[in-house]
Amino acid sequence: MAFIAALDPRVKHTRNVSSIMCDVILALLPGTALYVWWFGFGVLVQICLAIVTALVCEAIVCGLRRKPMRQTLGDLSAIVTAWLLALCIPSLAPWWLIVSGTAFAVVLVKHAYGGLGTNIFNPAMAGYAALLISFPVPMTQWPGGDAATLDLAACLAVIGANTTALDGLTAATALDYAKTQLLLERGFDAMRGEPVFGTLASNGWEWIAVGHLGGGLWLLWRGVIRWQIPAAMLAALLLSALLFHLLDAQRYASPLFHLFAGATVLGAFFIATDPVTAATSPRGRLVFATGIGALVYVIRTWGGYPDGVAFAVLVMNMAAPAIDYFAAPRVLGTGSGQS
Amino acid sequence: MHSAKSIFGAGLWRNNPGLVQLLGLCPLLAVTSTLVNGLGLGLATLLTLLVSNALVSASRGWLRPEIRIPVFVLIIASTVTAIELIMNAWFYGLYKVLGIFVPLIVTNCTIVARAEMFASRQPLAWAILDGLAMGIGFTLVLVVLGAVRELLGQGTLFVGAALLFGTTAQHWTISFSNDYPGFLLALLPPGAFFAFALLVAARNWLDNAFTERRTAPVADAGP
């Protein structure tokens, strides 16, 4: 079936998919550079592995589906998916983790649903969720500050070895640490000043978040993403955090902690804004992202996992078509307008 | 009208109860975490299909159409109860592993569908053959699905073969790698849906390929 989507003839289109994806990759650079600065070269190895896997899988699937390979591979969307997934997994995890996760994301989540533009779920987040459910141990061994002392060859050796024993190189993230300490009945007052929380929220990770914030604001300025999704997601998360923090500051972390710990900023600017799987109408985007923010807070605070961006995004992906249905803008001259 | 070949072709491929009719998916997805579990439930279902098809076909002459469905259900339920007792007596380990899914064979849509669509309208011999073909088709899907999920999920095959084949089968377990990390998702319910969807896709793809090959020369020789 040939279905040609005609563009509105009055709108001047200067952007295509690959130039947008190119902007997204550029916007990811500051956060990635800070990641390397704080936690070593591991993340670069993971990104390279992910990109190679994504391109190989995409080429194979295009061959099977008899699709033009140059167009699909050239739109850079597989590279963005791979890059985001690589940023989300521990940087010293064994090589098969990122390879299997990326293959799952590209083959099953993206192409089995029809490829770019028709996939229901965010491929990077679905790949992440599959990995987290399947391999809970290597997926929670986050690098500590000592990982930055490894040179490239040592990183390759750690990632290439088929082992998950990384004693001395890993450390709990702040979200993880806070969760276990709260279970031991220690409040936030008792935890204050411990090194894992760094200056803002989470040692090292907070500056990576600042880097992603910069990249995300640049994307906003370039017009690649719209303000509704990041603003609504951050507002929902921070307002829920503020409310509970004011009620009981011992048991509920501050909004600042929720903003700079975990994947909040990356999720708000790079993941929830995926144009394919998010709601598309302006009001729909507000509802969609508010749902993500609230769900992230619920999962972090009362759920079993320390962070919840991936699950929140996947749940709201499912709701996005319904949200768009109810939030569609009224077509001029139809429905019950005022007047 | 029928031939053994057409009945077996339908049961195993053309009208496979699992991959084409998409019937009986609840046990299909729930118990196929290992090859042996799939085979055990498949054989129990096969036996049920065989017996219920035979009984339905034999009693079709003196059944009033108004009450045929309750009678089918009674026949199927009695068959399943007998099979459950047999498994309880001779395959106790497997019976415990399969748990609620053995009595739930009663609710497997494949069985009542075959009774209504085939056995109640056909002579005894064809009905028995149909039960055999559909049962083997269903068992094969369960076995393949169980093998794929077991292989991906824990890197082994034939775990628990002793449950079905006795103590001689204790060493049948094949382990492909000693430090396989285990793809847990394949063993969880989502993995069952993924693997089953891929099996259906593979069957349709093969079917299309066969059809293309069979029709291509005809198209070339066209008018």
Side-chain angles (χ1 to χ4, degrees):
Chain A
M1 185 181 73
F3 180 74
I4 298 156
L7 298 173
D8 189 328
R10 290 154 296 189
V11 178
K12 187 182 168 209
H13 281 272
T14 50
R15 311 299 307 265
N16 53 20
V17 175
S18 57
S19 85
I20 287 176
M21 293 296 166
C22 194
D23 273 2
V24 174
I25 292 173
L26 285 177
L28 281 168
L29 287 178
T32 309
L34 284 163
Y35 201 142
V36 175
W37 170 257
W38 279 93
F39 297 108
F41 294 105
V43 66
L44 290 184
V45 179
Q46 302 283 1
I47 290 173
C48 292
L49 276 172
I51 289 176
V52 170
T53 314
L55 291 179
V56 169
C57 288
E58 189 124 305
I60 292 173
V61 176
C62 283
L64 282 174
R65 295 182 65 201
R66 297 171 199 169
K67 294 269 173 192
M69 205 165 290
R70 179 195 291 268
Q71 191 189 340
T72 313
L73 286 176
D75 69 12
L76 304 182
S77 65
I79 294 180
V80 170
T81 297
W83 199 306
L84 287 173
L85 184 58
L87 288 179
C88 293
I89 75 162
S91 61
L92 290 176
W95 60 272
W96 46 261
L97 202 67
I98 187 71
V99 169
S100 59
T102 313
F104 180 88
V106 171
V107 176
L108 285 185
V109 185
K110 184 176 168 192
H111 279 289
Y113 284 93
L116 184 73
T118 53
N119 50 315
I120 303 171
F121 296 103
N122 185 316
M125 286 303 99
Y128 173 84
L131 288 178
L132 185 62
I133 290 168
S134 297
F135 310 106
V137 175
M139 281 299 282
T140 45
Q141 289 182 324
W142 292 99
D146 291 342
T149 58
L150 295 179
D151 59 5
L152 195 56
C155 283
L156 282 171
V158 172
I159 293 169
N162 190 13
T163 171
T164 51
L166 298 168
D167 292 339
L169 292 173
T170 59
T173 62
L175 280 170
D176 223 348
Y177 182 79
K179 191 153 203 125
T180 32
Q181 293 298 312
L182 285 173
L183 283 177
L184 299 173
E185 304 283 320
R186 279 185 78 204
F188 276 101
D189 268 352
M191 285 188 255
R192 180 165 301 149
E194 293 191 23
V196 67
F197 292 110
T199 6
L200 295 172
S202 179
N203 191 23
W205 302 103
E206 58 204 2
W207 302 115
I208 297 173
V210 169
H212 288 316
L213 187 63
L217 291 174
W218 182 73
L219 278 186
L220 262 180
W221 176 71
R222 293 274 294 168
V224 172
I225 58 175
R226 306 256 178 251
W227 62 270
Q228 284 97 340
I229 287 180
M233 176 178 158
L234 294 179
L237 175 62
L238 299 185
L239 287 178
S240 329
L242 185 66
L243 176 69
F244 282 95
H245 186 65
L246 290 178
L247 285 176
D248 185 353
Q250 284 298 311
R251 288 188 41 224
Y252 299 105
S254 67
L256 191 71
F257 178 78
H258 278 288
L259 178 61
F260 285 108
T264 309
V265 177
L266 185 70
F269 287 94
F270 292 91
I271 292 166
T273 50
D274 173 12
V276 177
T277 56
T280 46
S281 55
R283 262 187 306 162
R285 284 185 177 135
L286 287 174
V287 177
F288 173 82
T290 307
I292 295 179
L295 276 173
V296 169
Y297 188 74
V298 168
I299 296 172
R300 279 185 181 178
T301 313
W302 298 288
Y305 288 102
D307 204 353
V309 174
F311 294 109
V313 168
L314 290 177
V315 168
M316 292 313 289
N317 282 165
M318 278 191 274
I323 291 172
D324 270 340
Y325 177 80
F326 288 111
R330 190 174 62 85
V331 176
L332 191 66
T334 64
S336 59
Q338 285 142 9
S339 81
Chain B
M1 184 167 90
H2 287 293
S3 71
K5 198 179 158 200
S6 78
I7 287 180
F8 269 93
L12 297 186
W13 186 262
R14 258 195 345 275
N15 199 18
N16 185 296
L19 296 182
V20 180
Q21 302 180 51
L22 303 180
L23 291 177
L25 291 192
C26 173
L28 189 98
L29 297 170
V31 302
T32 52
S33 52
T34 67
L35 193 159
V36 173
N37 285 359
L39 182 61
L41 191 80
L43 290 178
T45 312
L46 165 67
L47 198 59
T48 314
L49 262 169
L50 209 57
V51 176
S52 76
N53 261 15
L55 291 177
V56 166
S57 172
S59 57
R60 73 186 193 285
W62 33 274
L63 272 187
R64 295 195 58 80
E66 296 86 356
I67 54 152
R68 68 186 194 287
I69 300 284
V71 175
F72 295 164
V73 173
L74 278 178
I75 290 174
I76 295 168
S78 334
T79 315
V80 171
T81 310
I83 288 170
E84 192 191 344
L85 291 174
I86 292 172
M87 286 186 74
N88 199 346
W90 285 304
F91 302 100
Y92 186 62
L94 188 69
Y95 173 78
K96 266 177 45 187
V97 171
L98 295 179
I100 186 69
F101 290 100
V102 178
L104 276 183
I105 293 174
V106 174
T107 62
N108 190 324
C109 320
T110 313
I111 297 164
V112 80
R114 288 332 284 171
E116 164 71 9
M117 284 173 1
F118 196 94
S120 63
R121 297 144 198 235
Q122 302 292 338
L124 186 60
W126 290 137
I128 292 178
L129 215 54
D130 179 73
L132 194 65
M134 288 288 161
I136 293 175
F138 191 67
T139 308
L140 279 179
V141 176
L142 282 167
V143 167
V144 172
L145 197 56
V148 168
R149 289 180 64 194
E150 187 180 342
L151 201 59
L152 278 179
Q154 48 193 44
T156 60
L157 277 179
F158 293 109
V159 159
L163 297 174
L164 198 57
F165 301 104
T167 43
T168 47
Q170 265 172 352
H171 308 294
W172 288 11
T173 302
I174 309 168
S175 192
F176 289 91
S177 163
N178 286 327
D179 53 355
Y180 184 67
F183 190 51
L184 193 59
L185 188 73
L187 296 180
L188 294 172
F193 281 100
F194 280 123
F196 182 65
L198 290 176
L199 267 188
V200 174
R203 187 217 160 268
N204 290 346
W205 186 65
L206 280 176
D207 207 46
N208 283 342
F210 287 148
T211 319
E212 264 174 35
R213 193 188 302 169
R214 215 176 306 137
T215 52
V218 180
D220 284 345

